[in-house]
Amino acid sequence: MQVRHFLQLTDFELSEFEYLFKRARTLKQRLGKGELYQPLRAKTLAMIFEKNSTRTRVSFEAGMNQLGGSAMFLSPRDTQLGRGEPIEDVAEVISRMVDIAVIRTFKQDVVERFAQHSQVPVINGLTDEYHPCQIVADIFTYIEKRGSIRGRTVTWVGDSNNVCHTWLQAAQLFDFSLRVCTPAGYEVAPERCGDPSHLECFTDPLEAARGADLVTTDVWISMGNEDEAEARRKAFADFRVDQEMMAFARPDALFMHCLPAHRGEEVEAAVIDGPQSVVWDEAENRLHTQKALLEYLIVGKIKDNY
Ligand code: CP
Ligand code: NVA
């Protein structure tokens, strides 16, 4: 059987996400009741991280432990990757020893090359292009709070980065409208726009937020963009999600942010710490949705969803 990978959202079908959401709900409830559930005993997750991480690292490590397995964190500092060992060779070797791998790196091409040489499933834990695990947790959180996201309007304000690109894929898969509002020079690249029926581009954040069901943003300076910090802070100055913007959205609109956040930059403290914000549940749901993903990729579908 061919090994399945999760390198971008489009690697899975809608029915698989529906299964994962159902499964994540079950795993979340069972964890809440303190039940021990360890289908991944003696399984090992290799975590190759070339960029910093709090949520992705902790949620995968804790999730793997809760499912009875163990996780191994590998940074370039202490592996031969840092001394130039080819990613293909690393994949050949590691995948003979572990049961699944998560990679956080710069170019999407690196996770793809790793997957091509891996005998075990590979998960994208963030690249410059995509952050699929984040959006799985975000959609799960939306559904948990408000029901189906189908037909809803999601407004993205800020940089058209990895998280935004993944929202774009999600809009097509889950059939909702995505409004992307960026300053000039930071628009979504035309090749990423996909089916135009799911995307509207804006330059005025208030217009973009009008009537939205969900407003979301991310840092102005992603990992790898540090050299552009000054220019970006200037360009994005009018693209901070603030209370005025939230007032244009629906009264029951939610606010999400993948975190880490910079209060006073991309989001006003009153919004991220306010009543419409669901950022803590969104972060927690990384754990539950990724546990469902690990279980699915290692043992497959659980028939009775026990
Ligand atoms: N949202 C997210 O992926 O956070 P980390 O960078 O802390 O993993
Ligand atoms: N766009 C951000 C997301 C961090 C989780 C980055 O790539 O740094």
Side-chain angles (χ1 to χ4, degrees):
M1 213 179 72
Q2 218 193 335
V3 180
R4 292 291 304 278
H5 303 294
F6 187 56
L7 308 184
Q8 50 179 302
L9 221 56
T10 50
D11 286 343
F12 282 11
E13 289 174 11
L14 183 61
S15 60
E16 292 181 289
F17 288 113
E18 283 165 353
Y19 167 78
L20 287 175
F21 293 152
K22 207 162 107 189
R23 194 65 195 145
R25 257 191 307 276
T26 302
L27 294 174
K28 185 172 180 174
Q29 276 164 7
R30 291 180 64 178
L31 182 72
K33 287 191 217 147
E35 279 180 39
L36 207 60
Y37 173 64
Q38 302 194 315
L40 303 187
R41 261 192 305 269
K43 303 287 185 195
T44 308
L45 165 69
M47 301 174 56
I48 302 158
F49 277 44
E50 301 197 89
K51 287 177 175 173
N52 293 52
S53 171
T54 299
R55 279 141 289 271
T56 307
R57 176 176 179 177
V58 175
S59 53
F60 271 113
E61 285 196 21
M64 197 63 191
N65 287 335
Q66 288 168 16
L67 293 171
S70 53
M72 188 190 292
F73 185 80
L74 303 162
S75 82
R77 223 190 2 234
D78 36 43
T79 61
Q80 299 290 4
L81 260 178
R83 300 182 69 246
E85 184 168 14
I87 196 76
E88 291 84 354
D89 294 3
V90 175
E92 291 284 354
V93 173
I94 288 184
S95 74
R96 287 169 185 236
M97 299 175 182
V98 304
D99 302 279
I100 190 158
V102 179
I103 311 187
R104 169 169 284 206
T105 186
F106 292 86
K107 294 282 153 232
Q108 179 74 12
D109 172 61
V110 174
V111 292
E112 278 164 14
R113 279 160 44 215
F114 188 99
Q116 273 161 19
H117 289 262
S118 172
Q119 300 181 15
V120 299
V122 179
I123 298 170
N124 177 352
L126 180 145
T127 59
D128 291 348
E129 283 90 341
Y130 299 113
H131 195 3
C133 295
Q134 181 67 52
I135 302 308
V136 173
D138 291 3
I139 307 260
F140 178 79
T141 307
Y142 187 86
I143 296 169
E144 204 176 41
K145 304 279 177 199
R146 295 283 184 267
S148 173
I149 198 163
R150 187 156 189 246
R152 303 288 187 168
T153 300
V154 175
T155 295
W156 172 274
V157 181
D159 190 17
S160 60
N161 61 14
N162 43 8
V163 179
C164 173
H165 297 157
T166 316
W167 272 110
L168 267 159
Q169 295 186 322
Q172 295 195 39
L173 257 161
F174 295 94
D175 193 19
F176 59 84
S177 305
L178 183 69
R179 296 180 183 164
V180 177
C181 184
T182 62
Y186 295 91
E187 299 91 348
V188 180
E191 66 274 15
R192 292 207 185 272
C193 289
D195 174 0
S197 63
H198 291 93
L199 171 66
E200 254 187 294
C201 295
F202 288 77
T203 48
D204 177 351
L206 296 181
E207 279 315 309
R210 193 185 288 281
D213 296 288
L214 167 64
V215 177
T216 184
T217 188
D218 186 13
V219 292
W220 292 342
I221 301 144
S222 284
M223 292 179 277
N225 293 148
E226 290 80 5
D227 293 351
E228 301 167 22
E230 212 186 310
R232 282 175 169 265
R233 283 202 183 91
K234 268 195 206 127
F236 287 100
D238 295 331
F239 291 75
R240 175 174 309 121
V241 177
D242 58 14
Q243 286 177 301
E244 188 191 3
M245 219 181 274
M246 290 305 292
F248 271 70
R250 283 175 55 102
D252 66 346
L254 299 176
F255 171 77
M256 287 191 193
H257 189 313
C258 66
L259 306 177
H262 299 79
R263 288 169 178 77
E265 278 198 19
E266 75 275 5
V267 61
E268 201 177 57
V271 171
I272 192 166
D273 299 321
Q276 287 168 287
S277 171
V278 293
V279 296
W280 309 130
D281 289 333
E282 180 188 1
E284 179 191 324
N285 283 334
R286 297 289 305 276
L287 172 72
H288 309 299
T289 50
Q290 287 161 199
K291 280 172 72 181
L293 179 65
L294 288 167
E295 182 194 54
Y296 181 57
L297 288 172
I298 297 175
V299 301
K301 260 191 192 170
I302 305 298
K303 286 214 172 53
D304 58 1
N305 188 30
Y306 171 68

